[in-house]
Amino acid sequence: MSDLTKGMLNDPEILRELIMDHYQYPHNHKLTDDTTYASVHMASDSCIDDITVQSKISDGKIDDIRFDGVACTISTASTSMMTDLLKGKSVEEAEMIINNYFNMIDAKEYDPDVLEEAVAMKNVYKQANRVKCATIGWKAMKQMIDESEGRE
């Protein structure tokens, strides 16, 4: 990551703009009727978040990820960022990225380089009530990866 990029990712205004952009114009925000996609529905009891995440995983690779539903700014933005970040990755790469993301959200050590724009969520841990929002789509994806790998 360049020094310029590092500087940008420490600018609260740029982080806010990234989050708002993904909220207002979420990427991969449309479900499919294709039955070859796995699907996980997630809802929060403490927020409006009620989303479905779909993925197509074949031969150990994430071919596609999509989502839709009603969700707050943090949920929508973080799930949108996740779809961009994990699409096209191997299951192993995706698991490493997901683990880094959860570490960041839990205020543990993580590698910001692998998280790209998702680093915009780095301050969520300061608001415990937002942690569920920032992880709901990621948990759905982790569940689909585990199922695709034959893990429960």
Side-chain angles (χ1 to χ4, degrees):
M1 191 182 296
S2 73
D3 288 341
L4 178 62
T5 306
K6 282 181 183 164
M8 289 168 46
L9 293 176
N10 286 319
D11 181 333
E13 191 56 38
I14 290 174
L15 297 179
R16 197 170 11 269
E17 283 175 26
L18 267 172
I19 292 168
M20 288 310 296
D21 187 54
H22 275 275
Y23 172 65
Q24 292 169 322
Y25 310 102
H27 303 180
N28 308 297
H29 194 240
K30 184 177 185 347
L31 297 179
T32 180
D33 294 330
D34 186 334
T35 56
T36 63
Y37 279 68
S39 185
V40 172
H41 174 258
M42 301 289 266
S44 172
D45 9 336
S46 58
C47 185
I48 65 163
D49 299 337
D50 188 338
I51 65 170
T52 298
V53 180
Q54 294 179 322
S55 70
K56 184 172 183 139
I57 302 171
S58 55
D59 299 322
K61 185 170 169 259
I62 299 168
D63 298 322
D64 195 20
I65 309 172
R66 316 162 154 261
F67 77 105
D68 201 2
V70 176
C72 71
T73 303
I74 297 295
S75 289
T76 301
S78 71
T79 304
S80 173
M81 291 171 180
M82 176 202 68
T83 65
D84 285 345
L85 198 51
L86 301 184
K87 197 187 287 192
K89 299 284 193 292
S90 70
V91 166
E92 292 78 20
E93 289 171 305
E95 287 180 312
M96 183 265 304
I97 292 166
I98 291 168
N99 289 337
N100 269 280
Y101 183 80
F102 287 142
N103 282 346
M104 177 183 72
I105 296 299
D106 292 337
K108 294 178 183 166
E109 197 172 312
Y110 68 97
D111 181 355
D113 291 343
V114 302
L115 295 179
E116 297 175 19
E117 286 186 341
V119 138
M121 299 291 164
K122 70 181 185 176
N123 292 317
V124 165
Y125 75 91
K126 295 176 183 176
Q127 297 173 279
N129 60 325
R130 306 304 275 162
V131 168
K132 269 187 182 169
C133 305
T135 57
I136 194 167
W138 293 76
K139 286 180 178 173
M141 192 61 217
K142 179 163 179 17
Q143 183 180 326
M144 286 183 279
I145 288 172
D146 287 347
E147 288 168 2
S148 81
E149 294 294 294
R151 294 180 233 136
E152 290 303 315

